[in-house]
Amino acid sequence: MSSKVDLHLHSTASDGVYSPTEIVRMAADNGLEYIALTDHDSVAGIAEALAEAEKHPGLTVIPGVEISTDIAAGDVHILGYFVDWRNPDFVLKLSGMRDSREERGQAIIVKLAELGMPLEWSRVKEIAGDAVIGRPHITQAMLEKGYISSFAEAFEKYIGRDGPAYAERIKLSPAEAVTLIESAGGLAVMAHPFTLPDVEVLIEALIPVGLAGIETYYAGYGDYEIEKLRRLAQKSGLVATGGTDFHGLDQKTEMPIGGQTVPMSAVKGLLGRLNRQL
């Protein structure tokens, strides 16, 4: 495995399958040198990941988060790197967002029942374990019932943004997320930009409030997309970062930890921005 960097990983602290400890061990086994744990609206797995990283001297874990935000055109995800994961105000804000995720999950369950696909809330909570309940947990319950044949089908037909069982939750604006990450001493990076139309306009609008980078080397992006984002980052004075967005949900289709080639310049660029910010 050629990549030494993966800056987009999820654990059981949000909607991933593997614990923070397991994520760090897999990264070490795959020969990575830098990873970031970026759970959805949660830093609950950071302490565990950092403790495990001490057992793997060649691996550095960057404390991170992925914050879901909203604009008219769809969801915008903002990654935060080097956040102060013990900052009480930051943790409290994330906690409120996670509570909203659970309320959204309950609303989705109601809508699915109305569509003839009843699920037990207790089973969804059991699947989630200690993690914040997310749509992947609901999808797993749907798979168990035989309502769908794949994760993709659940999102495409039922619980994606335009699906009949979709439910909204409390979200920040992209600018508010960037500001929140900065308030915790972190660097804000736009995740998987090509999920949005007119992304260049949005990026330009976020630079004045502190956007530090663009996720450029992303799982599933081809050479054309990567080069376009690399040039955009260079033109805008932003760091070109990258990662797999690993959740561990589907081994047949999901790229493994470190499977996306991300240059070491992504880490060096972030460290350079962080040093200028301090």
Side-chain angles (χ1 to χ4, degrees):
M1 191 166 294
S2 59
S3 186
K4 300 294 183 182
V5 178
D6 194 336
L7 302 179
H8 195 160
L9 301 170
H10 297 277
S11 75
T12 51
S14 61
D15 58 352
V17 169
Y18 298 99
S19 70
T21 294
E22 291 171 319
I23 292 290
V24 173
R25 287 175 182 171
M26 286 189 285
D29 289 344
N30 288 345
L32 274 77
E33 296 179 8
Y34 289 91
I35 65 170
L37 188 64
T38 53
D39 279 306
H40 292 287
D41 304 328
S42 175
V43 290
I46 299 297
E48 181 182 333
L50 291 175
E52 179 62 26
E54 292 181 359
K55 304 173 186 176
H56 307 278
L59 178 64
T60 297
V61 173
I62 298 170
V65 69
E66 183 173 13
I67 297 178
S68 302
T69 76
D70 192 50
I71 59 174
D75 292 343
V76 180
H77 289 191
I78 304 294
L79 293 158
Y81 296 115
F82 300 103
V83 293
D84 179 0
W85 51 278
R86 290 167 292 197
N87 181 301
D89 293 335
F90 184 61
V91 172
L92 182 62
K93 186 70 173 181
L94 294 179
S95 177
M97 296 175 71
R98 293 197 302 277
D99 289 344
S100 179
R101 278 183 178 271
E102 182 156 328
E103 292 169 3
R104 189 264 293 272
Q106 292 173 326
I108 289 174
I109 295 294
V110 170
K111 291 186 176 185
L112 286 171
E114 293 171 349
L115 292 170
M117 292 178 283
L119 296 173
E120 292 77 29
W121 180 246
S122 60
R123 177 54 186 153
V124 175
K125 289 179 68 177
E126 185 179 0
I127 291 169
D130 294 331
V132 179
I133 291 174
R135 285 180 291 174
H137 303 127
I138 295 172
T139 300
Q140 183 61 47
M142 294 174 72
L143 280 168
E144 290 179 355
K145 289 284 190 177
Y147 298 145
I148 53 171
S149 59
S150 68
F151 272 79
E153 183 181 357
F155 281 82
E156 290 169 4
K157 290 186 176 180
Y158 303 111
I159 62 175
R161 188 177 181 88
D162 297 322
Y166 180 78
E168 285 286 358
R169 63 184 181 81
I170 296 173
K171 294 179 185 175
L172 304 176
S173 71
E176 288 172 331
V178 171
T179 300
L180 178 62
I181 289 166
E182 278 204 320
S183 74
L187 298 172
V189 171
M190 182 179 289
H192 36 70
F194 284 135
T195 56
L196 298 163
D198 300 322
V199 66
E200 292 187 33
V201 175
L202 179 57
I203 287 171
E204 289 300 319
L206 292 177
I207 290 174
V209 297
L211 187 70
I214 311 171
E215 190 172 45
T216 300
Y217 307 93
Y218 182 70
Y221 283 176
D223 292 342
Y224 172 79
E225 290 91 349
I226 290 174
E227 181 60 18
K228 184 175 181 179
L229 289 172
R230 191 191 67 78
R231 289 179 180 273
L232 177 60
Q234 186 177 43
K235 181 185 75 172
S236 305
L238 300 173
V239 181
T241 72
T244 57
D245 200 358
F246 179 81
H247 288 73
L249 297 169
D250 190 341
Q251 294 183 6
K252 294 180 180 178
T253 61
E254 191 173 5
M255 187 175 286
I257 293 174
Q260 172 62 49
T261 300
V262 180
M264 193 61 70
S265 59
V267 174
K268 292 180 179 179
L270 288 173
L271 289 171
R273 290 286 295 244
L274 186 67
N275 290 333
R276 290 199 297 272
Q277 183 171 297
L278 294 177

